[in-house]
Amino acid sequence: MSGKKYDVIVVGSGAAGSFAAKELTQRGLEVLLLEAGPDISEEDFLASPHEKKPKGIDLIPRIRAGLGGQHIQARLTFFRDQLKHLFINDRKNPYTTHPENFFLWIRGKQLGGRLHTWGRVFLRMSDYDFKAASRDGHGENWPLSYADLSPYYDQVEAFLGVYGSREGIPNLPDGRYAKTTRLNSLEKNFKKKIEERWPERSVIPWRHVSPNLKRIPRPILAARETGRLTIRTDAVAKKVTVNANTGRADGVVCIDRNKKKWLVFSGNIVVLCASTIESIRLLLNSTCGKHPAGLGNSSGLLGRYFMDQCPSILFGSVPYSTGWEVDNSLPQDPFHGPAGGIYIPRFQNLDTVTHPEFIRGFAFQGGIGGMYVPDDQPAMFGMMGYGEMPPYYENAISLDPRRKDEWGIPVPHIRCVFTSNERKLMMAQLKASREMAEQCGFDIDFGGTGLGLDREAEVLPRASWPSRFIFRKVFRKSMAAGAAIHECGGVRMGEDPKKSILNPYNQCWDVKNLFVTDGSCFPSAGTVGPTLTIAALTVRACEYIAK
C-alpha cells in the first residue's frame, strides 16, 4: 500500500482525467492520477502517419497488426501502421459480445488515452440534446441545461485554444474561438450546392482543438506546474475500495501492468475518468458487503442504457478536381496532419417532426479535397454519419464471468443492439449522404452503415481484387456499433436516485465521495462528439468537489 493518503485519486488520464487533474490541483488539492498504460514521450510521435504515397485501405499493415494481437483495433477506419502503438493489444485486453451483435471497441491506453488518436473535433451540445425528452417523450432529460454548462464550455475552449467559426445555429451553439476556420474551394462549392438544394442543411467548417506539439495533454502539464500532482502510469485499476464503517470510498486497488504486483492507493475522494466502458467495468468489479451488485448500484441501473452513435460512411473522389488543398493559415500538426473539413449539424426532428420514421436524427463530419493525393490524381472526399441512438434498458455493460484479461480482471460483456428505429435512421442517414454526393457530381467508391455495405458492385473500383474481396468481408464489423467511438451511458446522471447512478454534479448517490465524469454519465447520446461535453462536465464537477 502507498503510504500517502491523497486528497483525490483520479482514474484515467484522457479528456476527463486530464481536466480533473488540472482543476483539482489548481484548487489546492493533492491528486494522484492513475493511468493503466505507459507514459509517452516525443519518440512516440516521430513517424508521420501521413505518407506521401496513398495505400488504399492499408490492407497489409492491418493484417500485420491483426497477427500481432490488434485484430480489433486494426478494423478502425483511420488505423495506420504508424499509429498502432497508440492502440491496445486486443489479446491482452479482451471483451465479449453477443455473437450476432458485435461491438467495435477502440481503445488507447497510455498517458492521455485516446486524446492521441481522436479527430480533434470539439462541439457543444445544446438543449436540443439536454432536454430532448421534453420534446419527444423518449428517455430522460439531463439534470442540467445548456445555460448550466455553457460557462464550463467557455473555460475548456479558452484553455485549449479551439478553432471554429460563429454560425448562429440553435442546435449547435457557437463557442469561444481562438482562430477562425475556413472551407477550402471544393468545400465552399459543396456548401453552395447543398444549401441551395436543401436550405435546412448547414455546411460549416470544423470546430477543432489547436495542435498540441508537447503531446502530453495540456491540462496534465498545467497540473504538474502546481506541484500537487502525482502520476502513476502502468497501474491497471481493479476495484474501488469502500470503508465498511463509513460507507465511503477510501482508495483504489491496481495491478502493476508489467510486474503484475498489487498496488493499493488511499484517497479521500475518488473520481473515475477511465472511459465509458472501463468505468462501468470498474464499478461492477468493486463489489463489497454494502454494494453486492456493484458500487453505487442501489438502483440496479449500473451498466444500463449504454449507447453509441449510429455510424455510416461514404467515400470517393471528385472527378473534376485533382490534388489536395489545405488551410495553411492555421497551425498544423506534423504527426497527425492537417485538421479541417465540413460539418453538417443535425437537421431532422428539431422544432417539428420532419422524419416520423425515426427518433431524433443524425449529423455528418467529413472533408472534400483535404486528403493527400498526388497532384495528378482525383481529389478525394469522405463523409461519416453520426446518428443518435436512444437509451435502451436492454443495451448494457455487464461482466463476463468466464473471461479475464491479462491481469486477471473480469472483462466486460457489451450488448449494444440496433433496433428498427436505428435501422431506419441509418438508412436515411446513408441516403442523405449519397444524395449530397450525387448533387455535387462526386464518384462514390463505397458507402455503408453498421448494417453492411450499401452497393457492393461499386466497392473500391480502383483497388486490387484481393483488397475488394477482403473489404467486403470485413466492412460490416468495421462499421458496427462502436465505430463512431462515441460510446456513452451506463452510469447516467439524473435528478432521481431511483432512475440514475449520479446526481447533477456527477456525484454517486450511494457513495458521496465517488464521482464519475467520463462519457458513462451521459443520459442520452446526441449527434455531436462527446469530448468537449466530457471535459466541461469534469470542470463543473471538480469545482463542486473543491467547494
PDB file of all heavy atoms in Angstrom, residues 160-178:
ATOM      1  N   LEU A 160      -7.771  25.365 -24.089  1.00  0.00           N
ATOM      2  CA  LEU A 160      -7.156  24.536 -25.128  1.00  0.00           C
ATOM      3  C   LEU A 160      -6.867  25.308 -26.414  1.00  0.00           C
ATOM      4  O   LEU A 160      -6.003  24.908 -27.191  1.00  0.00           O
ATOM      5  CB  LEU A 160      -8.052  23.338 -25.449  1.00  0.00           C
ATOM      6  CG  LEU A 160      -8.185  22.284 -24.351  1.00  0.00           C
ATOM      7  CD1 LEU A 160      -9.123  21.177 -24.797  1.00  0.00           C
ATOM      8  CD2 LEU A 160      -6.831  21.705 -23.971  1.00  0.00           C
ATOM      9  N   GLY A 161      -7.598  26.380 -26.667  1.00  0.00           N
ATOM     10  CA  GLY A 161      -7.444  27.085 -27.932  1.00  0.00           C
ATOM     11  C   GLY A 161      -8.182  26.343 -29.028  1.00  0.00           C
ATOM     12  O   GLY A 161      -7.629  25.455 -29.680  1.00  0.00           O
ATOM     13  N   VAL A 162      -9.449  26.682 -29.229  1.00  0.00           N
ATOM     14  CA  VAL A 162     -10.285  25.996 -30.203  1.00  0.00           C
ATOM     15  C   VAL A 162     -10.461  26.879 -31.432  1.00  0.00           C
ATOM     16  O   VAL A 162     -10.658  28.087 -31.322  1.00  0.00           O
ATOM     17  CB  VAL A 162     -11.657  25.646 -29.589  1.00  0.00           C
ATOM     18  CG1 VAL A 162     -12.564  24.992 -30.619  1.00  0.00           C
ATOM     19  CG2 VAL A 162     -11.467  24.709 -28.396  1.00  0.00           C
ATOM     20  N   TYR A 163     -10.378  26.258 -32.609  1.00  0.00           N
ATOM     21  CA  TYR A 163     -10.582  26.964 -33.868  1.00  0.00           C
ATOM     22  C   TYR A 163     -11.990  26.669 -34.366  1.00  0.00           C
ATOM     23  O   TYR A 163     -12.446  25.521 -34.342  1.00  0.00           O
ATOM     24  CB  TYR A 163      -9.573  26.498 -34.919  1.00  0.00           C
ATOM     25  CG  TYR A 163      -8.120  26.650 -34.518  1.00  0.00           C
ATOM     26  CD1 TYR A 163      -7.130  25.893 -35.147  1.00  0.00           C
ATOM     27  CD2 TYR A 163      -7.722  27.526 -33.514  1.00  0.00           C
ATOM     28  CE1 TYR A 163      -5.792  26.015 -34.801  1.00  0.00           C
ATOM     29  CE2 TYR A 163      -6.391  27.659 -33.168  1.00  0.00           C
ATOM     30  CZ  TYR A 163      -5.418  26.889 -33.808  1.00  0.00           C
ATOM     31  OH  TYR A 163      -4.107  27.017 -33.460  1.00  0.00           O
ATOM     32  N   GLY A 164     -12.678  27.694 -34.842  1.00  0.00           N
ATOM     33  CA  GLY A 164     -14.032  27.493 -35.338  1.00  0.00           C
ATOM     34  C   GLY A 164     -14.582  28.756 -35.955  1.00  0.00           C
ATOM     35  O   GLY A 164     -13.876  29.767 -36.069  1.00  0.00           O
ATOM     36  N   SER A 165     -15.823  28.703 -36.370  1.00  0.00           N
ATOM     37  CA  SER A 165     -16.487  29.867 -36.947  1.00  0.00           C
ATOM     38  C   SER A 165     -17.857  30.017 -36.307  1.00  0.00           C
ATOM     39  O   SER A 165     -18.523  29.029 -36.015  1.00  0.00           O
ATOM     40  CB  SER A 165     -16.634  29.717 -38.467  1.00  0.00           C
ATOM     41  OG  SER A 165     -17.406  28.576 -38.787  1.00  0.00           O
ATOM     42  N   ARG A 166     -18.265  31.244 -36.095  1.00  0.00           N
ATOM     43  CA  ARG A 166     -19.558  31.510 -35.476  1.00  0.00           C
ATOM     44  C   ARG A 166     -20.645  31.449 -36.550  1.00  0.00           C
ATOM     45  O   ARG A 166     -20.567  32.148 -37.561  1.00  0.00           O
ATOM     46  CB  ARG A 166     -19.531  32.867 -34.776  1.00  0.00           C
ATOM     47  CG  ARG A 166     -18.426  32.948 -33.705  1.00  0.00           C
ATOM     48  CD  ARG A 166     -18.487  34.257 -32.927  1.00  0.00           C
ATOM     49  NE  ARG A 166     -19.690  34.315 -32.090  1.00  0.00           N
ATOM     50  CZ  ARG A 166     -19.790  33.744 -30.886  1.00  0.00           C
ATOM     51  NH1 ARG A 166     -18.778  33.050 -30.382  1.00  0.00           N
ATOM     52  NH2 ARG A 166     -20.903  33.852 -30.193  1.00  0.00           N
ATOM     53  N   GLU A 167     -21.637  30.593 -36.327  1.00  0.00           N
ATOM     54  CA  GLU A 167     -22.634  30.311 -37.354  1.00  0.00           C
ATOM     55  C   GLU A 167     -24.073  30.606 -36.922  1.00  0.00           C
ATOM     56  O   GLU A 167     -24.964  30.654 -37.767  1.00  0.00           O
ATOM     57  CB  GLU A 167     -22.526  28.836 -37.775  1.00  0.00           C
ATOM     58  CG  GLU A 167     -21.157  28.410 -38.269  1.00  0.00           C
ATOM     59  CD  GLU A 167     -20.818  28.959 -39.643  1.00  0.00           C
ATOM     60  OE1 GLU A 167     -21.739  29.440 -40.350  1.00  0.00           O
ATOM     61  OE2 GLU A 167     -19.633  28.901 -40.029  1.00  0.00           O
ATOM     62  N   GLY A 168     -24.330  30.736 -35.619  1.00  0.00           N
ATOM     63  CA  GLY A 168     -25.675  31.036 -35.165  1.00  0.00           C
ATOM     64  C   GLY A 168     -26.682  29.926 -35.365  1.00  0.00           C
ATOM     65  O   GLY A 168     -27.856  30.181 -35.638  1.00  0.00           O
ATOM     66  N   ILE A 169     -26.244  28.671 -35.231  1.00  0.00           N
ATOM     67  CA  ILE A 169     -27.126  27.520 -35.405  1.00  0.00           C
ATOM     68  C   ILE A 169     -27.667  27.107 -34.038  1.00  0.00           C
ATOM     69  O   ILE A 169     -26.888  26.762 -33.142  1.00  0.00           O
ATOM     70  CB  ILE A 169     -26.365  26.351 -36.067  1.00  0.00           C
ATOM     71  CG1 ILE A 169     -25.851  26.780 -37.444  1.00  0.00           C
ATOM     72  CG2 ILE A 169     -27.241  25.111 -36.177  1.00  0.00           C
ATOM     73  CD1 ILE A 169     -24.898  25.797 -38.081  1.00  0.00           C
ATOM     74  N   PRO A 170     -28.979  27.139 -33.820  1.00  0.00           N
ATOM     75  CA  PRO A 170     -29.532  26.913 -32.474  1.00  0.00           C
ATOM     76  C   PRO A 170     -29.126  25.584 -31.839  1.00  0.00           C
ATOM     77  O   PRO A 170     -28.866  25.527 -30.637  1.00  0.00           O
ATOM     78  CB  PRO A 170     -31.047  26.978 -32.695  1.00  0.00           C
ATOM     79  CG  PRO A 170     -31.219  27.842 -33.899  1.00  0.00           C
ATOM     80  CD  PRO A 170     -30.037  27.510 -34.785  1.00  0.00           C
ATOM     81  N   ASN A 171     -29.104  24.506 -32.617  1.00  0.00           N
ATOM     82  CA  ASN A 171     -28.784  23.211 -32.030  1.00  0.00           C
ATOM     83  C   ASN A 171     -27.296  22.870 -32.075  1.00  0.00           C
ATOM     84  O   ASN A 171     -26.901  21.766 -31.713  1.00  0.00           O
ATOM     85  CB  ASN A 171     -29.582  22.089 -32.712  1.00  0.00           C
ATOM     86  CG  ASN A 171     -29.310  21.985 -34.196  1.00  0.00           C
ATOM     87  OD1 ASN A 171     -29.533  22.943 -34.919  1.00  0.00           O
ATOM     88  ND2 ASN A 171     -28.858  20.828 -34.651  1.00  0.00           N
ATOM     89  N   LEU A 172     -26.457  23.835 -32.475  1.00  0.00           N
ATOM     90  CA  LEU A 172     -25.003  23.684 -32.400  1.00  0.00           C
ATOM     91  C   LEU A 172     -24.425  25.017 -31.930  1.00  0.00           C
ATOM     92  O   LEU A 172     -23.937  25.815 -32.725  1.00  0.00           O
ATOM     93  CB  LEU A 172     -24.416  23.280 -33.759  1.00  0.00           C
ATOM     94  CG  LEU A 172     -22.947  22.866 -33.712  1.00  0.00           C
ATOM     95  CD1 LEU A 172     -22.788  21.491 -33.067  1.00  0.00           C
ATOM     96  CD2 LEU A 172     -22.332  22.860 -35.112  1.00  0.00           C
ATOM     97  N   PRO A 173     -24.479  25.293 -30.619  1.00  0.00           N
ATOM     98  CA  PRO A 173     -24.089  26.610 -30.114  1.00  0.00           C
ATOM     99  C   PRO A 173     -22.659  26.985 -30.483  1.00  0.00           C
ATOM    100  O   PRO A 173     -21.755  26.141 -30.526  1.00  0.00           O
ATOM    101  CB  PRO A 173     -24.241  26.451 -28.597  1.00  0.00           C
ATOM    102  CG  PRO A 173     -25.214  25.336 -28.416  1.00  0.00           C
ATOM    103  CD  PRO A 173     -24.955  24.399 -29.554  1.00  0.00           C
ATOM    104  N   ASP A 174     -22.470  28.285 -30.762  1.00  0.00           N
ATOM    105  CA  ASP A 174     -21.131  28.809 -31.021  1.00  0.00           C
ATOM    106  C   ASP A 174     -20.306  28.783 -29.740  1.00  0.00           C
ATOM    107  O   ASP A 174     -20.848  28.827 -28.627  1.00  0.00           O
ATOM    108  CB  ASP A 174     -21.212  30.245 -31.542  1.00  0.00           C
ATOM    109  CG  ASP A 174     -21.881  30.330 -32.904  1.00  0.00           C
ATOM    110  OD1 ASP A 174     -21.711  29.383 -33.698  1.00  0.00           O
ATOM    111  OD2 ASP A 174     -22.589  31.330 -33.165  1.00  0.00           O
ATOM    112  N   GLY A 175     -18.979  28.741 -29.910  1.00  0.00           N
ATOM    113  CA  GLY A 175     -18.082  28.721 -28.764  1.00  0.00           C
ATOM    114  C   GLY A 175     -17.117  29.886 -28.768  1.00  0.00           C
ATOM    115  O   GLY A 175     -17.296  30.872 -29.492  1.00  0.00           O
ATOM    116  N   ARG A 176     -16.078  29.764 -27.953  1.00  0.00           N
ATOM    117  CA  ARG A 176     -15.012  30.768 -27.879  1.00  0.00           C
ATOM    118  C   ARG A 176     -13.867  30.291 -28.762  1.00  0.00           C
ATOM    119  O   ARG A 176     -13.200  29.298 -28.441  1.00  0.00           O
ATOM    120  CB  ARG A 176     -14.524  30.940 -26.449  1.00  0.00           C
ATOM    121  CG  ARG A 176     -15.557  31.546 -25.515  1.00  0.00           C
ATOM    122  CD  ARG A 176     -14.989  31.768 -24.122  1.00  0.00           C
ATOM    123  NE  ARG A 176     -13.804  32.636 -24.134  1.00  0.00           N
ATOM    124  CZ  ARG A 176     -13.206  33.074 -23.028  1.00  0.00           C
ATOM    125  NH1 ARG A 176     -13.653  32.718 -21.840  1.00  0.00           N
ATOM    126  NH2 ARG A 176     -12.146  33.858 -23.108  1.00  0.00           N
ATOM    127  N   TYR A 177     -13.622  30.988 -29.859  1.00  0.00           N
ATOM    128  CA  TYR A 177     -12.658  30.508 -30.844  1.00  0.00           C
ATOM    129  C   TYR A 177     -11.423  31.401 -30.909  1.00  0.00           C
ATOM    130  O   TYR A 177     -11.528  32.627 -31.050  1.00  0.00           O
ATOM    131  CB  TYR A 177     -13.322  30.406 -32.222  1.00  0.00           C
ATOM    132  CG  TYR A 177     -14.536  29.507 -32.201  1.00  0.00           C
ATOM    133  CD1 TYR A 177     -15.759  29.942 -32.697  1.00  0.00           C
ATOM    134  CD2 TYR A 177     -14.467  28.230 -31.646  1.00  0.00           C
ATOM    135  CE1 TYR A 177     -16.882  29.119 -32.649  1.00  0.00           C
ATOM    136  CE2 TYR A 177     -15.575  27.411 -31.594  1.00  0.00           C
ATOM    137  CZ  TYR A 177     -16.779  27.856 -32.093  1.00  0.00           C
ATOM    138  OH  TYR A 177     -17.884  27.041 -32.032  1.00  0.00           O
ATOM    139  N   ALA A 178     -10.265  30.746 -30.785  1.00  0.00           N
ATOM    140  CA  ALA A 178      -9.000  31.474 -30.833  1.00  0.00           C
ATOM    141  C   ALA A 178      -8.651  31.884 -32.258  1.00  0.00           C
ATOM    142  O   ALA A 178      -8.013  32.919 -32.476  1.00  0.00           O
ATOM    143  CB  ALA A 178      -7.884  30.611 -30.249  1.00  0.00           C
TER     144      ALA A 178
END
